[in-house]
Amino acid sequence: MPLTTLDYPGLLACVLFCQGCAWRCRYCHNPELIPPRGEAEIPWDAILAFLRRRQGLLQAVVFSGGEATLQNTLPEAMASVREMGFRTGLHSAGIRPEAFARALPHADWIGFDVKGLAEDMDATTGVKRSGQANWRSLELLLESGVGHECRTTVHWQLFDLERLRQLATRLRGMGVDNFVVQLARSGRQLDPGLIATPAPHGAPDLWRELHALFPSFELRDV
């Protein structure tokens, strides 16, 4: 994505979508990024050339996916972007905590995907023990001091209000200040069995609770 005002708070940015993801989140709306190889990959040298032409215009570069931290050379790529004068952003679910930890020192801001309560996550990601990895990476993020938002994508066939309330309460107890609930879009998604489902009765009351619970809360369509 060559130009965006949405993916790095307050800055004009571009997004680099990294190929490959080890999870199979059922609501994923970029399923073409899941395989380790893609049909339209761009060489890194071409990306650097693009960024050189945008110096003085763009303020930030966001690495997204897929799952960007699965790229072995991600820390080096982020460092290169920083040396060019850009802020570095990262969108991640912390699939592999050790890889996430290597990327952390090179990030100025992180959009961190909390997939759900750790004990419930396997049903969303399709991968056993994904909850432990996701929440361990969250702990690393909170310990790092790197600016961030935590966001949870909610599809009402996979979530209910009480689970979301429990998740939010747990996050706030860990010190999360900035929480975003992303309402999953219907249509183009990995699992065609997920259909558009209206929000449960009582959702507006929960949104008010979350606005009161977090210093910063946002409800967002994705």
Side-chain angles (χ1 to χ4, degrees):
M1 185 181 296
L3 193 65
T4 173
T5 59
L6 302 176
D7 292 274
Y8 193 115
L11 297 183
L12 192 63
C14 72
V15 181
L16 304 181
F17 290 97
C18 300
Q19 187 72 34
C21 186
W23 290 353
R24 300 293 183 270
C25 296
R26 295 171 61 191
Y27 51 68
C28 179
H29 60 268
N30 287 320
E32 73 280 0
L33 292 174
I34 292 176
R37 303 295 298 182
E39 296 181 357
E41 296 183 11
I42 302 172
W44 180 240
D45 286 346
I47 292 172
L48 290 177
F50 167 83
L51 293 177
R52 290 189 192 101
R53 295 194 299 271
R54 296 302 187 273
Q55 285 176 304
L57 172 63
L58 291 176
Q59 298 165 296
V61 176
V62 178
F63 292 82
S64 189
E67 173 53 54
T69 61
L70 298 184
Q71 304 290 326
N72 291 332
T73 58
L74 177 66
E76 291 82 359
M78 295 174 75
S80 296
V81 166
R82 256 188 179 169
E83 289 172 3
M84 297 174 71
F86 299 104
R87 295 289 186 93
T88 54
L90 174 64
H91 294 171
S92 178
I95 284 177
R96 293 179 183 161
E98 66 281 2
F100 183 73
R102 288 195 297 271
L104 266 175
H106 304 283
D108 296 302
W109 178 84
I110 293 177
F112 189 83
D113 293 313
V114 182
K115 299 295 184 178
L117 294 163
E119 58 270 26
D120 294 339
M121 270 183 52
D122 294 1
T124 296
T125 66
V127 176
K128 292 182 178 179
R129 296 181 293 279
S130 55
Q132 292 94 315
N134 189 220
W135 283 73
R136 175 54 186 149
S137 291
L138 174 60
E139 291 172 351
L140 292 171
L141 173 60
L142 296 176
E143 292 165 2
S144 74
V146 175
H148 61 275
E149 71 175 20
C150 291
R151 59 267 192 107
T152 296
T153 300
V154 171
H155 192 294
W156 294 117
Q157 284 183 258
L158 303 174
F159 254 100
D160 58 39
L161 292 178
E162 186 53 36
R163 277 199 190 93
L164 185 54
R165 181 180 285 108
Q166 291 175 18
L167 171 63
T169 302
R170 193 174 300 180
L171 292 174
R172 188 70 187 108
M174 294 175 66
V176 171
D177 292 332
N178 188 349
F179 184 47
V180 177
V181 170
Q182 301 183 145
L183 298 177
R185 69 180 69 173
S186 60
R188 184 170 171 270
Q189 58 200 11
L190 182 63
D191 182 355
L194 293 180
I195 60 174
T197 304
H201 179 72
D205 292 333
L206 179 57
W207 308 147
R208 284 190 286 272
E209 287 181 38
L210 299 187
H211 274 292
L213 182 62
F214 291 94
S216 176
F217 172 73
E218 183 182 347
L219 188 63
R220 184 184 297 165
D221 289 316
V222 294

